[in-house]
Amino acid sequence: MSFLIQCIHWLALLGCFYLSLRLFRDLADLSQWIVQTPRKVTMWTFYRRHKIAIAAGILWLISALTLWFSGAGSVVIFWIISALSAFTFYSGYINPTIMMRAQQHNARYFSIDEARESLSPDTSLIVIDAHGEARGHPDDQILRPHVAGTKEGLAGENVVMTYCGLTNMGIAYTPEIDGETLDLGVMTQIENNLVMWDKKTGQPIQQFWGTREDAGPRGPRMPEWPSYRMPLWAFEKAFPNGKIFLNPIPNFTDNPFLAIYDRLIHIIFTHAISDQAKKEEPTFPTIKKFDKRLPNKTKIYGVNIGDDYVAYTEDFIKDHDGLLNIQIGGRDIVAAYHSDLDSVGIYYNDSGRQINNVQFGGESNVGKLARVETMKPEAYWVVWQNFFPETDVNRPPLT
């Protein structure tokens, strides 16, 4: 056997393993427990993932042919490396689309009575409402799809809920940029925050920014919708006809593969989210700068008007009698804790007058107030400060 064929065999086999390993390292988010790659490298691999996958397949075929027809290499080593390549290839290239099946168009919403069968009254919901219709999203239900919506929209409005369990945050978006409708999929996580991608343009979209990667964090973004948190019992009180998003795992008789696979993924995701909630350090060690003004896992209500970012804690709002008249980005704003529904709301105040009271629906002593659409309810401080280091903390009320 010629030396050249031996070289071709080993170079092809190792090349296949390297490319598969690269897909795993950069695109399989669970790999970031072990190896952390810079954002630029992750994006480079994502943009070229199909070419890398094809190249890996061709190299494996070359190594297999030189083994079978020329006897090059070692059968045992070939199958060991092939098995490792198959695992890393699947984890980085195939698994993300199966593991995190976004439901932008086909999410299922259930009545409160139906939801009570699987949820406790204190289950925290991320809520959006439009024209009197409301939807609640439990964390553990939206954890796997990361994106939930329907073709019909909400009360005729095109709005979807996006969710990142590592950030403990939902953001409601109209999936459009500059009037162009997006088809959102789930890519990975970077620095403990969800990265989606637009299947039409192939562009990644960081959840916090809502912009396409090629435009950068200050590029055109998806319009936000006001969202907030409240427990199930309060949601029922405020919206007795509201709907709850549920994501039941298929029965074994309906789809045996997904019945097993989704349960396994749910266990893995739940473990990661539990670690994020309990431990001081972020689950994925990809955050390098820490702001000690608040403990890492403090749940904050982040809000911005333009480039003015502020993070409030619920305790700070409560300590001010549950009502703060503040100014953000040059606009008068009101932050309120609604004790009757255990929910925090942040509202625009364009009246030019002091707000003395504001109800959950925005009714106040100066008329109805609109919610601030950029408020992020109960996001972890450690992730928020990483993306918005310029943020102010617990800005005092106007005097």
Side-chain angles (χ1 to χ4, degrees), residues 16-319:
C16 169
F17 179 58
Y18 168 76
L19 293 178
S20 300
L21 190 62
R22 175 147 196 165
L23 290 170
F24 173 75
R25 183 195 69 181
D26 297 346
L27 303 182
D29 61 353
L30 297 180
S31 65
Q32 294 183 43
W33 268 320
I34 305 170
V35 180
Q36 297 83 51
T37 54
R39 182 186 196 90
K40 191 177 297 184
V41 174
T42 297
M43 293 303 171
W44 188 95
T45 301
F46 178 78
Y47 286 131
R48 295 162 179 82
R49 67 194 183 284
H50 299 314
K51 293 179 180 178
I52 294 172
I54 292 171
I58 292 173
L59 289 174
W60 182 86
L61 184 60
I62 292 172
S63 68
L65 291 174
T66 53
L67 171 68
W68 294 336
F69 292 107
S70 302
S74 162
V75 174
V76 173
I77 295 177
F78 171 81
W79 285 113
I80 290 174
I81 295 180
S82 292
L84 291 172
S85 298
F87 171 77
T88 52
F89 182 93
Y90 174 83
S91 298
Y93 184 67
I94 299 173
N95 185 56
T97 60
I98 301 175
M99 177 174 62
M100 300 174 289
R101 303 187 299 279
Q103 298 179 19
Q104 178 178 338
H105 309 291
N106 60 345
R108 298 169 60 194
Y109 290 88
F110 297 79
S111 69
I112 294 173
D113 287 340
E114 291 171 310
R116 279 204 213 95
E117 296 178 7
S118 55
L119 304 177
S120 72
D122 290 327
T123 298
S124 179
L125 304 178
I126 309 165
V127 178
I128 50 177
D129 69 271
H131 312 308
E133 294 186 25
R135 291 174 176 170
H137 305 78
D139 294 73
D140 70 331
Q141 297 295 314
I142 199 171
L143 180 59
R144 282 183 293 113
H146 290 76
V147 178
T150 62
K151 290 181 180 179
E152 299 76 21
L154 175 63
E157 301 287 354
N158 184 16
V159 57
V160 299
M161 179 62 71
T162 68
Y163 176 77
C164 180
L166 292 170
T167 311
N168 193 55
M169 179 184 69
I171 303 179
Y173 281 118
T174 293
E176 298 176 358
I177 292 180
D178 284 341
E180 182 180 346
T181 302
L182 310 182
D183 187 4
L184 297 175
V186 181
M187 174 186 160
T188 186
Q189 62 84 21
I190 292 181
E191 297 178 0
N192 290 256
N193 182 243
L194 168 68
V195 182
M196 302 169 285
W197 67 292
D198 176 20
K199 298 177 184 178
K200 293 182 177 181
T201 62
Q203 283 294 320
I205 298 174
Q206 188 85 41
Q207 186 202 21
F208 257 133
W209 298 334
T211 64
R212 293 193 179 107
E213 186 71 18
D214 62 352
R218 298 190 181 278
R221 58 180 289 134
M222 294 186 287
E224 286 186 62
W225 275 77
S227 62
Y228 45 92
R229 279 188 179 267
M230 61 198 317
L232 176 60
W233 64 262
F235 181 80
E236 180 178 10
K237 184 177 177 181
F239 305 104
N241 296 316
K243 300 292 185 181
I244 307 293
F245 170 75
L246 297 178
N247 187 33
I249 294 174
N251 294 322
F252 189 84
T253 53
D254 295 330
N255 190 321
F257 171 75
L258 290 181
I260 297 172
Y261 186 83
D262 283 357
R263 281 175 172 81
L264 177 61
I265 294 302
H266 189 74
I267 291 171
I268 294 173
F269 278 11
T270 302
H271 172 72
I273 300 310
S274 177
D275 276 355
Q276 186 79 317
K278 294 177 182 177
K279 296 181 179 179
E280 179 66 12
E281 296 302 315
T283 294
F284 291 94
T286 52
I287 294 176
K288 303 304 181 184
K289 296 180 180 179
F290 299 91
D291 188 326
K292 296 302 181 182
R293 285 179 290 174
L294 293 173
N296 280 348
K297 297 303 171 59
T298 302
K299 294 178 180 179
I300 58 94
Y301 294 84
V303 62
N304 72 287
I305 306 296
D307 292 330
D308 189 11
Y309 289 80
V310 184
Y312 280 100
T313 62
E314 185 174 298
D315 285 343
F316 185 83
I317 299 173
K318 289 179 177 178
D319 289 344

